[in-house]
Amino acid sequence: MITISFEDGPLHDTCIKLQKAELEYGSLSAAALVTFISEALAFEHVEELIGLFGDEIKILPDDSLSLSIGSDYRAALVVAGTRSKRDAEGRVIWSSVTRLKLVEMSRVP
């Protein structure tokens, strides 16, 4: 099962509590965020999550993830913990990742 942690307490509270998420991001984006977190928790590893979201999730050069949340926001996630493995090029092997940290929610320009 994937575990998601958060950069800090306020981000955690905003992302976990639907009423706070709605106030911060609007009802549509809040629903998309809650759905993403719920779906992520259901998977065994991040490779499955990437497969589900397809083009909506971007793997950046530093192996962080960027995911569209609704039409107005993006979530930035990084690998958390030390159990993940890397390939010969030093890239994350996503099937070995079970922990992510949501570090930022940002408005899409």
Side-chain angles (χ1 to χ4, degrees):
M1 179 169 89
I2 294 174
T3 301
I4 297 179
S5 60
F6 298 85
E7 184 66 17
D8 55 32
L11 183 60
H12 171 270
D13 292 346
T14 300
C15 292
I16 295 299
K17 297 176 183 171
L18 183 58
Q19 288 179 336
K20 285 189 176 191
E22 287 175 338
L23 289 173
E24 185 71 25
Y25 308 120
S27 59
L28 293 176
S29 293
L33 177 61
V34 169
T35 298
F36 162 71
I37 292 170
S38 296
E39 289 175 342
L41 298 176
F43 289 108
E44 290 297 315
H45 50 75
V46 175
E47 184 175 58
E48 295 173 330
L49 184 66
I50 291 169
L52 173 69
F53 283 93
D55 290 340
E56 292 178 49
I57 196 164
K58 305 284 186 224
I59 301 171
L60 302 178
D62 65 354
D63 284 327
S64 63
L65 300 175
S66 179
L67 173 70
S68 295
I69 300 291
S71 59
D72 296 328
Y73 290 90
R74 292 201 71 76
L77 300 113
V78 297
V79 174
T82 58
R83 292 186 234 169
S84 62
K85 297 176 183 171
R86 295 192 176 262
D87 64 17
E89 288 85 38
R91 301 301 306 258
V92 168
I93 299 171
W94 293 104
S95 61
S96 72
V97 177
T98 59
R99 299 181 68 203
L100 291 172
K101 180 188 277 189
L102 197 153
V103 293
E104 182 182 35
M105 285 287 295
S106 58
R107 193 160 186 81
V108 175

